[in-house]
Amino acid sequence: MTEVRGFFTRFMAVLFTLTLAAAPVFAQTWPNKPVRMVVAFPPGTPGDVIARLIQPALQSAWGQAVVVENKPGAGGNLAAGEVAQAKDGHTLLVGPDTVLTINPHLYKKLSFDPRSSLQPVTYFASFNQMLVCNPGAGIASLEAFSRLPSTKLYASGGAGTPSHMTMELLLSTLGTRLTHVPYKGPGPAAQDVIAGHVDCGFIVSSVVLPYVQSGRLRAIAVSGKERSVVLTGVPTVAESGHPGFDATFFETLMAPAGLPAAVVDKIQHDVRLVLLAPSMKARLADMDLRVEASTPQQARQRSHEDSAKWEGVAQRTGLRLD
């Protein structure tokens, strides 16, 4: 029996050594077939735009086709579930960090755990939600917004999305309530605010930016701790009387948890080079997106911190989506 145990121990040690040695080799040959980037939200959303902008440069760097596919639904869970179960080593997920920081607190019946079955590769860029109102609603400040009666409606890009959760965080901070109207993406939400069917919405800034610039929407406040790089005259919520308020989000590239660290580091390195090109940074800045190009470790740490924050919001508001 002792000899059997000794043989088994030596066998496992050799197997472990071979596995460690194989990871760098896999990284050197990766990718050896087309790469799928599954986008968790509809076309035109920040992650989709970024994926399509960097696609040509990544195809050139990797010598393989990079296929961008949209698979929206369930706050990003449909795409996340597909990527989490992918075993080909060439399927990646593009979506907001909320897949890791918010969804686990709202969806308790998922067939997978996003935090254990997915790993962040890099934060592409940070983005804010912008509180916008129909100009005819007569709301010109956060103070005026805070006086709206609870019967008033607000639009979001969907249940559990950054748009929805940011407004819930704000309403909790203000100590007030409004009635939520979810849409299938930020674009339709913005259109109904413009049409006056809903007075206001906290909607991703890159989508509402042109409407604010044209006067079809009025910008009230920005969700993050920094002002918009385009609409510099719009204050943050923190500057509007609520210090410490910060709802910054990150468009994130994620991979299945089993993808070797050497491959993850290679992907992050190559994506970082594309994102930091001056022309790319300028194009994203025009859409109010700040390039981050973070390391996997930085993204993992921030995701852990933000998860705790959004768990608190979900508990205070009693939000559950299944």
Side-chain angles (χ1 to χ4, degrees), residues 158-322:
T161 63
S163 175
H164 178 204
M165 295 302 289
T166 300
M167 184 66 89
E168 289 299 326
L169 177 61
L170 177 63
L171 295 175
S172 176
T173 301
L174 297 176
T176 188
R177 299 298 309 158
L178 295 177
T179 300
H180 178 215
V181 181
Y183 291 81
K184 292 183 178 180
Q191 289 299 324
D192 257 21
V193 178
I194 291 171
H197 301 311
V198 183
D199 283 333
C200 302
F202 234 141
I203 304 173
V204 60
S205 59
S206 61
V207 169
V208 300
L209 181 61
Y211 304 127
V212 173
Q213 292 172 321
S214 66
R216 300 176 71 189
L217 289 174
R218 174 179 288 164
I220 306 300
V222 174
S223 68
K225 62 182 180 181
E226 296 182 75
R227 292 192 179 199
S228 162
V229 297
V230 181
L231 298 173
T232 57
V234 181
T236 65
V237 172
E239 291 172 326
S240 302
H242 301 279
F245 188 98
D246 179 18
T248 302
F249 297 93
F250 301 89
E251 282 300 340
T252 308
L253 182 64
M254 292 162 269
L259 196 64
V263 177
V264 171
D265 289 341
K266 172 182 171 57
I267 297 171
Q268 188 273 339
H269 173 269
D270 294 343
V271 170
R272 177 182 176 84
L273 292 180
V274 176
L275 289 174
L276 293 182
S279 59
M280 183 64 68
K281 291 181 69 174
R283 291 191 69 176
L284 294 180
D286 286 342
M287 293 181 287
D288 208 14
L289 298 168
R290 286 183 172 85
V291 168
E292 298 288 335
S294 65
T295 65
Q297 294 75 22
Q298 290 169 333
R300 193 177 302 116
Q301 177 61 33
R302 177 63 189 252
S303 292
H304 178 74
E305 295 168 359
D306 284 350
S307 178
K309 175 177 70 178
W310 293 117
E311 181 180 20
V313 175
Q315 290 176 344
R316 287 197 303 272
T317 58
L319 286 174
R320 273 288 295 271
L321 298 179
D322 60 9

Side-chain angles (χ1 to χ4, degrees), residues 31-139:
N32 54 30
K33 61 182 180 179
V35 177
R36 292 176 63 220
M37 296 177 70
V38 183
V39 181
F41 282 83
T45 49
D48 176 72
V49 172
I50 294 172
R52 296 183 189 281
L53 283 176
I54 67 176
Q55 177 191 35
L58 291 180
Q59 287 187 152
S60 177
W62 292 341
Q64 292 285 348
V66 176
V67 181
V68 179
E69 302 176 12
N70 294 89
K71 194 178 182 71
N77 288 328
L78 290 184
E82 179 176 324
V83 174
Q85 297 170 31
K87 305 297 183 184
D88 63 356
H90 289 72
T91 302
L92 304 172
L93 175 67
V94 175
D97 57 323
T98 54
V99 170
L100 301 174
T101 62
I102 291 179
N103 289 10
H105 307 304
L106 300 184
Y107 299 88
K108 301 297 186 179
K109 298 179 182 179
L110 290 175
S111 60
F112 69 104
D113 181 355
R115 292 168 295 187
S116 62
S117 57
L118 292 168
Q119 58 179 319
V121 176
T122 187
Y123 283 155
F124 286 136
S126 58
F127 65 96
N128 291 321
Q129 307 299 302
M130 188 169 290
L131 179 59
V132 293
C133 297
N134 183 286
I139 303 166

